[in-house]
Structures are given as structure tokens and as C-alpha cells.
Amino acid sequence: MRLEHLYLAGVAAVLPEVVETERAVKEGLLDPAVREASGIVSVAVAGEVPAPDLAAEAAAAAVRRSGRRPEEFAALLHSGAHFQGPDGWSPQHYVLRKALDVPIPALEVRQGCLGMLASLELAAYRLAADPARPAVLLTAADNFGTPMVDRWRASGLFLLADGAAAAVVTRDGGFARVLAVGSLSNPEMEEFNRGGEVLFPPPVTVGRPLNLEARRQYWRDQWAQGVLPPMGNLGELVADVAARTLAEAGVAMEQVRRVVHIGFSKGPLTDTFLDPLGIDADRGVWEFTRRTGHAGAVDPFSGLQYLLETGQVEAGDHVMLIGAAPGAEVTCAVLEITGDQGTS
């Protein structure tokens, strides 16, 4: 979807202290061969800090940097891939109270690791449909340090990290213009992410922890028995949605200075994002994500904040934000940096 008047006016990320993967190996948490293959040197770990508190901290910083007043916001869209607090509770309104404290709609976008990028697309629709207020606040946060997740072994694609990010999206100016944003899914791959899990009762309600790697192994075992796994390739979705979004933005891939991707381990990152996009790791943000791990929906905007604060992009540069989630679905946004954001 090509956009004419959509901007980022402020972004912020909150990433806690990291735990080195070498230490995780010494403590028996991580297999040394997995560490070596992953290329990940450290993972952000928040301890007992609740995810919504991380989100509120990031939100406050993004709002300050944007220079926007609370009464200018039309909505808050909050995302998380893991549990945020008590069952039946509303973390998005907690973040809203802490960050803005205004009586606007606050929605939770349950789109897994795509939550914040999907929220950017939803914000574009909201701001186009309702001219009353010019801004929407996006937040995302996770703390995976619960008994229901083993961050070191839950998936062979990544090591799970904690953190938060926030972005102020406006239709009347900012430090980056959003030229286009769009999503593409392959619902036939839904079964691949489900594996052999039952739908009811939901496994977590009977004390079964998250184990994405076991679901992948289920399909390896099925294939060995002659049962074909669901067909689909996430890398093909990445290439397709990137090509479409670039065309809508009127930007060639050669003009994109940096690509902000999610924090996959080295092999899956190369296969799913770098090779399909035709770029090397230096043009992505591997030097950042290999030191943080995969922080769910936080990655695209924490990666953008990293590029901004280290001065690796400047006015006139084009930046691609791209991520993926179970479904399978990919969302891509193409930005043009137009100036500096605030630093408060």
C-alpha cells in the first residue's frame, strides 16, 4: 500500500542487560553446538521486570522524542508474543495509562513477532479514516523468562530475548516518511507452525510449555514416514512482499541503504531474509541482533533505533523494515529518512 502522508515522529527501544551465550553454555542452558551455529553472542534478559513496564518506558521515550502531546493521539496499539500479565487482564490499557493517560482506544494486536509492523499498517488505516487526531502510539514488549518458555531451546531458528520498543506514527511530519507498507500470508503454512499440537484444551492451560522446535521435529518425523509436510517457503514470502512494497514505494532494492530484520540465528536469517532479499549481513542489522537475540515484535523498531542512534542512516536514506510470524505472514515497510528525531 503506497502512502502519501504517514511518518514516524519518534521511536525508542528498551533492551535490558545481556547474558552472553558463552555463559549460557557453561551453565548448561545452551548446547555449545547450537551456540556456535547460531552466531548469537548474547541475549537480552529482563529478569523479573514485567513486559508492560518495559513497554511503558519505551512509550514515554518515544512520545518525548516526537514532541507530541497526549491529546494528539487517536489510539494505542500494543503487541506481545508471550504472556503480559494476569489472564483476562488488559496490558494495553496499563501501557496507555502509564504513557499517555488519555481516554482513547487501546488495542492489543496479537500478530506474534509481526505485531508492531502489523500495527504500523493498522495505524495507517486509522489515521487515514479519522482526521480528528494526528498520531497513533505503537508499543511492543516481551519478557520470556517464565516457566512456560525455555528461551535457549524453544526454537532452532532463534534465541528468545526480552525488551520493548515504541513508535509514534503521525500523518503530519516526523523524522522518517513511511512510503509504503504491506503484508502477505500463506495460510497453508499454518499447520507447519502447529505441528502435532491439539487445539483444545490449549496446551499452555494444561502446563505444556512452548516448544516450537518440537513442532518442527513433528514434521520431520512425518516426512520420514512418507507424510508430506505443509508446502510453503517463508523466504519466498519475504521476497514477494519486499518486491511488491518496493514497487509501491517507487524505490529499487539497490536504493535501500539498510534492512532491519528480525533477530533470527545466522543460518535461518540467511535463508529466510538475506538471500531472498539479495543482501549480505552488513546491509542488514546482524551486528545488532547477534548481540540481542530475537525479542519478538520489538525487533524491527529496536533495530531502526539502533541505526539512528549509531548514525548509520541519515536524511535521504531509504530503510526497509521486514519481519515474519507464524501463519505464515510477512510484513514489509519502506521508509525514507527525512531528518533527525529528538533525543530526550
Side-chain angles (χ1 to χ4, degrees), residues 110-114 184-195 212 215 230-234 237 323-330:
R110 296 289 295 171
Q111 193 69 342
C113 303
L114 268 183
L184 190 67
S185 75
N186 181 349
E188 292 184 9
M189 294 178 68
E190 165 275 320
E191 193 175 6
F192 185 82
N193 296 113
R194 177 161 44 92
L212 300 175
R215 299 179 196 176
M231 294 294 103
N233 184 291
L234 196 54
L237 279 181
E329 188 156 332
V330 176

PDB file of all heavy atoms in Angstrom, residues 110-114 184-195 212 215 230-234 237 323-330:
ATOM      1  N   ARG A 110      -2.459  -9.131  18.291  1.00  0.00           N
ATOM      2  CA  ARG A 110      -1.875 -10.455  18.510  1.00  0.00           C
ATOM      3  C   ARG A 110      -1.395 -11.035  17.183  1.00  0.00           C
ATOM      4  O   ARG A 110      -2.061 -11.871  16.572  1.00  0.00           O
ATOM      5  CB  ARG A 110      -2.922 -11.369  19.159  1.00  0.00           C
ATOM      6  CG  ARG A 110      -3.359 -10.913  20.546  1.00  0.00           C
ATOM      7  CD  ARG A 110      -2.280 -11.117  21.590  1.00  0.00           C
ATOM      8  NE  ARG A 110      -1.989 -12.530  21.783  1.00  0.00           N
ATOM      9  CZ  ARG A 110      -0.968 -12.981  22.517  1.00  0.00           C
ATOM     10  NH1 ARG A 110      -0.134 -12.136  23.079  1.00  0.00           N
ATOM     11  NH2 ARG A 110      -0.780 -14.273  22.659  1.00  0.00           N
ATOM     12  N   GLN A 111      -0.273 -10.568  16.743  1.00  0.00           N
ATOM     13  CA  GLN A 111       0.278 -10.998  15.458  1.00  0.00           C
ATOM     14  C   GLN A 111       1.687 -11.550  15.640  1.00  0.00           C
ATOM     15  O   GLN A 111       2.506 -11.501  14.743  1.00  0.00           O
ATOM     16  CB  GLN A 111       0.270  -9.814  14.475  1.00  0.00           C
ATOM     17  CG  GLN A 111       0.508 -10.157  13.021  1.00  0.00           C
ATOM     18  CD  GLN A 111      -0.634 -10.932  12.391  1.00  0.00           C
ATOM     19  OE1 GLN A 111      -1.477 -11.506  13.067  1.00  0.00           O
ATOM     20  NE2 GLN A 111      -0.664 -10.952  11.070  1.00  0.00           N
ATOM     21  N   GLY A 112       1.945 -12.106  16.836  1.00  0.00           N
ATOM     22  CA  GLY A 112       3.241 -12.703  17.091  1.00  0.00           C
ATOM     23  C   GLY A 112       4.374 -11.715  16.882  1.00  0.00           C
ATOM     24  O   GLY A 112       4.289 -10.552  17.280  1.00  0.00           O
ATOM     25  N   CYS A 113       5.428 -12.176  16.232  1.00  0.00           N
ATOM     26  CA  CYS A 113       6.611 -11.344  16.025  1.00  0.00           C
ATOM     27  C   CYS A 113       6.380 -10.240  14.999  1.00  0.00           C
ATOM     28  O   CYS A 113       7.247  -9.385  14.801  1.00  0.00           O
ATOM     29  CB  CYS A 113       7.784 -12.211  15.593  1.00  0.00           C
ATOM     30  SG  CYS A 113       8.159 -13.516  16.790  1.00  0.00           S
ATOM     31  N   LEU A 114       5.232 -10.240  14.347  1.00  0.00           N
ATOM     32  CA  LEU A 114       4.875  -9.179  13.400  1.00  0.00           C
ATOM     33  C   LEU A 114       4.026  -8.094  14.040  1.00  0.00           C
ATOM     34  O   LEU A 114       3.616  -7.155  13.356  1.00  0.00           O
ATOM     35  CB  LEU A 114       4.079  -9.767  12.214  1.00  0.00           C
ATOM     36  CG  LEU A 114       4.849 -10.193  10.991  1.00  0.00           C
ATOM     37  CD1 LEU A 114       3.890 -10.669   9.905  1.00  0.00           C
ATOM     38  CD2 LEU A 114       5.730  -9.080  10.457  1.00  0.00           C
ATOM     39  N   LEU A 184       1.744 -10.051   3.392  1.00  0.00           N
ATOM     40  CA  LEU A 184       1.402 -11.183   2.544  1.00  0.00           C
ATOM     41  C   LEU A 184       1.468 -12.436   3.392  1.00  0.00           C
ATOM     42  O   LEU A 184       2.385 -12.596   4.201  1.00  0.00           O
ATOM     43  CB  LEU A 184       2.377 -11.279   1.366  1.00  0.00           C
ATOM     44  CG  LEU A 184       2.051 -12.251   0.243  1.00  0.00           C
ATOM     45  CD1 LEU A 184       0.803 -11.806  -0.505  1.00  0.00           C
ATOM     46  CD2 LEU A 184       3.235 -12.336  -0.731  1.00  0.00           C
ATOM     47  N   SER A 185       0.483 -13.330   3.221  1.00  0.00           N
ATOM     48  CA  SER A 185       0.484 -14.558   4.022  1.00  0.00           C
ATOM     49  C   SER A 185       0.346 -15.784   3.139  1.00  0.00           C
ATOM     50  O   SER A 185      -0.095 -15.713   1.991  1.00  0.00           O
ATOM     51  CB  SER A 185      -0.663 -14.528   5.046  1.00  0.00           C
ATOM     52  OG  SER A 185      -1.909 -14.758   4.412  1.00  0.00           O
ATOM     53  N   ASN A 186       0.727 -16.915   3.707  1.00  0.00           N
ATOM     54  CA  ASN A 186       0.479 -18.224   3.104  1.00  0.00           C
ATOM     55  C   ASN A 186      -0.200 -19.074   4.184  1.00  0.00           C
ATOM     56  O   ASN A 186       0.480 -19.733   4.980  1.00  0.00           O
ATOM     57  CB  ASN A 186       1.771 -18.880   2.637  1.00  0.00           C
ATOM     58  CG  ASN A 186       1.519 -20.238   1.988  1.00  0.00           C
ATOM     59  OD1 ASN A 186       0.430 -20.785   2.065  1.00  0.00           O
ATOM     60  ND2 ASN A 186       2.534 -20.797   1.350  1.00  0.00           N
ATOM     61  N   PRO A 187      -1.530 -19.045   4.265  1.00  0.00           N
ATOM     62  CA  PRO A 187      -2.228 -19.740   5.358  1.00  0.00           C
ATOM     63  C   PRO A 187      -2.049 -21.248   5.342  1.00  0.00           C
ATOM     64  O   PRO A 187      -2.299 -21.895   6.366  1.00  0.00           O
ATOM     65  CB  PRO A 187      -3.688 -19.338   5.152  1.00  0.00           C
ATOM     66  CG  PRO A 187      -3.793 -18.898   3.729  1.00  0.00           C
ATOM     67  CD  PRO A 187      -2.463 -18.320   3.377  1.00  0.00           C
ATOM     68  N   GLU A 188      -1.598 -21.815   4.213  1.00  0.00           N
ATOM     69  CA  GLU A 188      -1.354 -23.252   4.190  1.00  0.00           C
ATOM     70  C   GLU A 188      -0.214 -23.639   5.132  1.00  0.00           C
ATOM     71  O   GLU A 188      -0.113 -24.793   5.552  1.00  0.00           O
ATOM     72  CB  GLU A 188      -1.034 -23.706   2.758  1.00  0.00           C
ATOM     73  CG  GLU A 188      -2.221 -23.615   1.814  1.00  0.00           C
ATOM     74  CD  GLU A 188      -1.910 -24.161   0.437  1.00  0.00           C
ATOM     75  OE1 GLU A 188      -0.832 -24.767   0.269  1.00  0.00           O
ATOM     76  OE2 GLU A 188      -2.744 -23.993  -0.469  1.00  0.00           O
ATOM     77  N   MET A 189       0.645 -22.668   5.477  1.00  0.00           N
ATOM     78  CA  MET A 189       1.761 -22.953   6.370  1.00  0.00           C
ATOM     79  C   MET A 189       1.354 -22.911   7.841  1.00  0.00           C
ATOM     80  O   MET A 189       2.177 -23.190   8.718  1.00  0.00           O
ATOM     81  CB  MET A 189       2.896 -21.958   6.106  1.00  0.00           C
ATOM     82  CG  MET A 189       3.521 -22.116   4.734  1.00  0.00           C
ATOM     83  SD  MET A 189       4.820 -20.906   4.408  1.00  0.00           S
ATOM     84  CE  MET A 189       6.080 -21.433   5.561  1.00  0.00           C
ATOM     85  N   GLU A 190       0.107 -22.570   8.118  1.00  0.00           N
ATOM     86  CA  GLU A 190      -0.385 -22.564   9.499  1.00  0.00           C
ATOM     87  C   GLU A 190      -0.125 -23.895  10.179  1.00  0.00           C
ATOM     88  O   GLU A 190       0.298 -23.960  11.346  1.00  0.00           O
ATOM     89  CB  GLU A 190      -1.882 -22.238   9.494  1.00  0.00           C
ATOM     90  CG  GLU A 190      -2.611 -22.533  10.788  1.00  0.00           C
ATOM     91  CD  GLU A 190      -3.066 -23.974  10.909  1.00  0.00           C
ATOM     92  OE1 GLU A 190      -3.524 -24.556   9.895  1.00  0.00           O
ATOM     93  OE2 GLU A 190      -2.965 -24.535  12.018  1.00  0.00           O
ATOM     94  N   GLU A 191      -0.364 -24.973   9.450  1.00  0.00           N
ATOM     95  CA  GLU A 191      -0.230 -26.308  10.026  1.00  0.00           C
ATOM     96  C   GLU A 191       1.212 -26.616  10.403  1.00  0.00           C
ATOM     97  O   GLU A 191       1.484 -27.347  11.351  1.00  0.00           O
ATOM     98  CB  GLU A 191      -0.758 -27.351   9.034  1.00  0.00           C
ATOM     99  CG  GLU A 191      -0.953 -28.730   9.636  1.00  0.00           C
ATOM    100  CD  GLU A 191      -1.583 -29.692   8.650  1.00  0.00           C
ATOM    101  OE1 GLU A 191      -1.754 -29.323   7.473  1.00  0.00           O
ATOM    102  OE2 GLU A 191      -1.894 -30.823   9.059  1.00  0.00           O
ATOM    103  N   PHE A 192       2.149 -26.025   9.673  1.00  0.00           N
ATOM    104  CA  PHE A 192       3.563 -26.253   9.961  1.00  0.00           C
ATOM    105  C   PHE A 192       3.914 -25.720  11.349  1.00  0.00           C
ATOM    106  O   PHE A 192       4.648 -26.359  12.114  1.00  0.00           O
ATOM    107  CB  PHE A 192       4.432 -25.580   8.892  1.00  0.00           C
ATOM    108  CG  PHE A 192       5.893 -25.855   9.046  1.00  0.00           C
ATOM    109  CD1 PHE A 192       6.444 -27.032   8.566  1.00  0.00           C
ATOM    110  CD2 PHE A 192       6.724 -24.948   9.681  1.00  0.00           C
ATOM    111  CE1 PHE A 192       7.799 -27.296   8.721  1.00  0.00           C
ATOM    112  CE2 PHE A 192       8.076 -25.203   9.837  1.00  0.00           C
ATOM    113  CZ  PHE A 192       8.616 -26.376   9.361  1.00  0.00           C
ATOM    114  N   ASN A 193       3.383 -24.553  11.690  1.00  0.00           N
ATOM    115  CA  ASN A 193       3.664 -23.957  12.993  1.00  0.00           C
ATOM    116  C   ASN A 193       2.911 -24.643  14.123  1.00  0.00           C
ATOM    117  O   ASN A 193       3.305 -24.547  15.284  1.00  0.00           O
ATOM    118  CB  ASN A 193       3.313 -22.463  12.986  1.00  0.00           C
ATOM    119  CG  ASN A 193       4.175 -21.676  12.029  1.00  0.00           C
ATOM    120  OD1 ASN A 193       3.692 -21.164  11.029  1.00  0.00           O
ATOM    121  ND2 ASN A 193       5.458 -21.586  12.321  1.00  0.00           N
ATOM    122  N   ARG A 194       1.837 -25.338  13.785  1.00  0.00           N
ATOM    123  CA  ARG A 194       1.034 -26.034  14.800  1.00  0.00           C
ATOM    124  C   ARG A 194       1.618 -27.394  15.132  1.00  0.00           C
ATOM    125  O   ARG A 194       1.508 -27.878  16.266  1.00  0.00           O
ATOM    126  CB  ARG A 194      -0.407 -26.163  14.299  1.00  0.00           C
ATOM    127  CG  ARG A 194      -1.340 -26.917  15.197  1.00  0.00           C
ATOM    128  CD  ARG A 194      -2.796 -26.607  14.879  1.00  0.00           C
ATOM    129  NE  ARG A 194      -3.102 -26.579  13.467  1.00  0.00           N
ATOM    130  CZ  ARG A 194      -3.539 -27.604  12.747  1.00  0.00           C
ATOM    131  NH1 ARG A 194      -3.720 -28.780  13.336  1.00  0.00           N
ATOM    132  NH2 ARG A 194      -3.811 -27.485  11.467  1.00  0.00           N
ATOM    133  N   GLY A 195       2.234 -28.057  14.141  1.00  0.00           N
ATOM    134  CA  GLY A 195       2.802 -29.376  14.375  1.00  0.00           C
ATOM    135  C   GLY A 195       1.742 -30.370  14.805  1.00  0.00           C
ATOM    136  O   GLY A 195       0.626 -30.386  14.291  1.00  0.00           O
ATOM    137  N   LEU A 212       8.633 -24.729  20.083  1.00  0.00           N
ATOM    138  CA  LEU A 212       8.490 -24.627  18.638  1.00  0.00           C
ATOM    139  C   LEU A 212       9.359 -25.649  17.915  1.00  0.00           C
ATOM    140  O   LEU A 212       9.004 -26.117  16.833  1.00  0.00           O
ATOM    141  CB  LEU A 212       8.859 -23.206  18.184  1.00  0.00           C
ATOM    142  CG  LEU A 212       8.010 -22.082  18.787  1.00  0.00           C
ATOM    143  CD1 LEU A 212       8.555 -20.729  18.371  1.00  0.00           C
ATOM    144  CD2 LEU A 212       6.554 -22.225  18.378  1.00  0.00           C
ATOM    145  N   ARG A 215       7.626 -28.924  17.389  1.00  0.00           N
ATOM    146  CA  ARG A 215       6.662 -28.907  16.289  1.00  0.00           C
ATOM    147  C   ARG A 215       7.359 -29.099  14.945  1.00  0.00           C
ATOM    148  O   ARG A 215       6.828 -29.750  14.044  1.00  0.00           O
ATOM    149  CB  ARG A 215       5.885 -27.597  16.318  1.00  0.00           C
ATOM    150  CG  ARG A 215       5.097 -27.391  17.601  1.00  0.00           C
ATOM    151  CD  ARG A 215       4.357 -26.070  17.592  1.00  0.00           C
ATOM    152  NE  ARG A 215       3.929 -25.698  18.936  1.00  0.00           N
ATOM    153  CZ  ARG A 215       3.331 -24.559  19.218  1.00  0.00           C
ATOM    154  NH1 ARG A 215       3.083 -23.675  18.268  1.00  0.00           N
ATOM    155  NH2 ARG A 215       2.991 -24.277  20.463  1.00  0.00           N
ATOM    156  N   PRO A 230       3.342 -29.475   5.288  1.00  0.00           N
ATOM    157  CA  PRO A 230       2.689 -28.387   4.549  1.00  0.00           C
ATOM    158  C   PRO A 230       3.679 -27.711   3.609  1.00  0.00           C
ATOM    159  O   PRO A 230       4.846 -27.512   3.948  1.00  0.00           O
ATOM    160  CB  PRO A 230       2.239 -27.425   5.663  1.00  0.00           C
ATOM    161  CG  PRO A 230       2.198 -28.262   6.890  1.00  0.00           C
ATOM    162  CD  PRO A 230       3.259 -29.293   6.747  1.00  0.00           C
ATOM    163  N   MET A 231       3.224 -27.377   2.431  1.00  0.00           N
ATOM    164  CA  MET A 231       4.081 -26.760   1.439  1.00  0.00           C
ATOM    165  C   MET A 231       4.110 -25.239   1.634  1.00  0.00           C
ATOM    166  O   MET A 231       3.102 -24.619   1.947  1.00  0.00           O
ATOM    167  CB  MET A 231       3.604 -27.090   0.028  1.00  0.00           C
ATOM    168  CG  MET A 231       3.722 -28.567  -0.332  1.00  0.00           C
ATOM    169  SD  MET A 231       5.447 -29.140  -0.421  1.00  0.00           S
ATOM    170  CE  MET A 231       5.612 -30.040   1.142  1.00  0.00           C
ATOM    171  N   GLY A 232       5.254 -24.656   1.416  1.00  0.00           N
ATOM    172  CA  GLY A 232       5.400 -23.209   1.520  1.00  0.00           C
ATOM    173  C   GLY A 232       6.816 -22.863   1.918  1.00  0.00           C
ATOM    174  O   GLY A 232       7.524 -23.665   2.538  1.00  0.00           O
ATOM    175  N   ASN A 233       7.245 -21.675   1.559  1.00  0.00           N
ATOM    176  CA  ASN A 233       8.598 -21.233   1.850  1.00  0.00           C
ATOM    177  C   ASN A 233       8.537 -19.802   2.347  1.00  0.00           C
ATOM    178  O   ASN A 233       8.088 -18.903   1.628  1.00  0.00           O
ATOM    179  CB  ASN A 233       9.466 -21.349   0.592  1.00  0.00           C
ATOM    180  CG  ASN A 233      10.911 -21.003   0.867  1.00  0.00           C
ATOM    181  OD1 ASN A 233      11.233 -19.852   1.122  1.00  0.00           O
ATOM    182  ND2 ASN A 233      11.783 -22.001   0.795  1.00  0.00           N
ATOM    183  N   LEU A 234       9.005 -19.594   3.571  1.00  0.00           N
ATOM    184  CA  LEU A 234       8.947 -18.265   4.160  1.00  0.00           C
ATOM    185  C   LEU A 234       9.821 -17.279   3.400  1.00  0.00           C
ATOM    186  O   LEU A 234       9.473 -16.103   3.248  1.00  0.00           O
ATOM    187  CB  LEU A 234       9.364 -18.331   5.628  1.00  0.00           C
ATOM    188  CG  LEU A 234       9.022 -17.135   6.508  1.00  0.00           C
ATOM    189  CD1 LEU A 234       7.540 -16.801   6.452  1.00  0.00           C
ATOM    190  CD2 LEU A 234       9.459 -17.409   7.950  1.00  0.00           C
ATOM    191  N   LEU A 237       7.936 -15.753   0.568  1.00  0.00           N
ATOM    192  CA  LEU A 237       7.033 -14.689   1.022  1.00  0.00           C
ATOM    193  C   LEU A 237       7.806 -13.398   1.253  1.00  0.00           C
ATOM    194  O   LEU A 237       7.341 -12.310   0.902  1.00  0.00           O
ATOM    195  CB  LEU A 237       6.334 -15.103   2.314  1.00  0.00           C
ATOM    196  CG  LEU A 237       5.123 -16.020   2.233  1.00  0.00           C
ATOM    197  CD1 LEU A 237       4.579 -16.271   3.635  1.00  0.00           C
ATOM    198  CD2 LEU A 237       4.039 -15.455   1.342  1.00  0.00           C
ATOM    199  N   GLY A 323       9.635  -8.302   8.659  1.00  0.00           N
ATOM    200  CA  GLY A 323       9.553  -9.337   9.670  1.00  0.00           C
ATOM    201  C   GLY A 323       8.595 -10.427   9.255  1.00  0.00           C
ATOM    202  O   GLY A 323       7.882 -10.313   8.246  1.00  0.00           O
ATOM    203  N   ALA A 324       8.575 -11.491  10.041  1.00  0.00           N
ATOM    204  CA  ALA A 324       7.725 -12.642   9.730  1.00  0.00           C
ATOM    205  C   ALA A 324       7.134 -13.193  11.012  1.00  0.00           C
ATOM    206  O   ALA A 324       7.650 -12.960  12.110  1.00  0.00           O
ATOM    207  CB  ALA A 324       8.535 -13.720   9.013  1.00  0.00           C
ATOM    208  N   ALA A 325       6.036 -13.932  10.865  1.00  0.00           N
ATOM    209  CA  ALA A 325       5.363 -14.541  12.012  1.00  0.00           C
ATOM    210  C   ALA A 325       4.664 -15.814  11.559  1.00  0.00           C
ATOM    211  O   ALA A 325       4.448 -16.026  10.351  1.00  0.00           O
ATOM    212  CB  ALA A 325       4.351 -13.568  12.614  1.00  0.00           C
ATOM    213  N   PRO A 326       4.313 -16.679  12.521  1.00  0.00           N
ATOM    214  CA  PRO A 326       3.533 -17.864  12.167  1.00  0.00           C
ATOM    215  C   PRO A 326       2.262 -17.479  11.429  1.00  0.00           C
ATOM    216  O   PRO A 326       1.700 -16.408  11.629  1.00  0.00           O
ATOM    217  CB  PRO A 326       3.222 -18.490  13.528  1.00  0.00           C
ATOM    218  CG  PRO A 326       4.334 -18.037  14.410  1.00  0.00           C
ATOM    219  CD  PRO A 326       4.631 -16.636  13.953  1.00  0.00           C
ATOM    220  N   GLY A 327       1.853 -18.380  10.549  1.00  0.00           N
ATOM    221  CA  GLY A 327       0.642 -18.090   9.773  1.00  0.00           C
ATOM    222  C   GLY A 327       0.627 -18.716   8.388  1.00  0.00           C
ATOM    223  O   GLY A 327      -0.348 -19.321   8.006  1.00  0.00           O
ATOM    224  N   ALA A 328       1.664 -18.605   7.555  1.00  0.00           N
ATOM    225  CA  ALA A 328       2.824 -17.732   7.794  1.00  0.00           C
ATOM    226  C   ALA A 328       2.550 -16.380   7.148  1.00  0.00           C
ATOM    227  O   ALA A 328       1.828 -16.291   6.153  1.00  0.00           O
ATOM    228  CB  ALA A 328       4.087 -18.344   7.203  1.00  0.00           C
ATOM    229  N   GLU A 329       3.120 -15.325   7.733  1.00  0.00           N
ATOM    230  CA  GLU A 329       2.870 -13.992   7.218  1.00  0.00           C
ATOM    231  C   GLU A 329       4.138 -13.152   7.303  1.00  0.00           C
ATOM    232  O   GLU A 329       4.936 -13.312   8.231  1.00  0.00           O
ATOM    233  CB  GLU A 329       1.730 -13.326   7.978  1.00  0.00           C
ATOM    234  CG  GLU A 329       1.276 -12.015   7.366  1.00  0.00           C
ATOM    235  CD  GLU A 329      -0.155 -11.640   7.728  1.00  0.00           C
ATOM    236  OE1 GLU A 329      -0.967 -12.564   7.976  1.00  0.00           O
ATOM    237  OE2 GLU A 329      -0.468 -10.451   7.749  1.00  0.00           O
ATOM    238  N   VAL A 330       4.282 -12.250   6.346  1.00  0.00           N
ATOM    239  CA  VAL A 330       5.419 -11.329   6.305  1.00  0.00           C
ATOM    240  C   VAL A 330       4.877  -9.923   6.098  1.00  0.00           C
ATOM    241  O   VAL A 330       3.946  -9.717   5.309  1.00  0.00           O
ATOM    242  CB  VAL A 330       6.395 -11.685   5.157  1.00  0.00           C
ATOM    243  CG1 VAL A 330       7.521 -10.652   5.062  1.00  0.00           C
ATOM    244  CG2 VAL A 330       6.975 -13.082   5.360  1.00  0.00           C
TER     245      VAL A 330
END
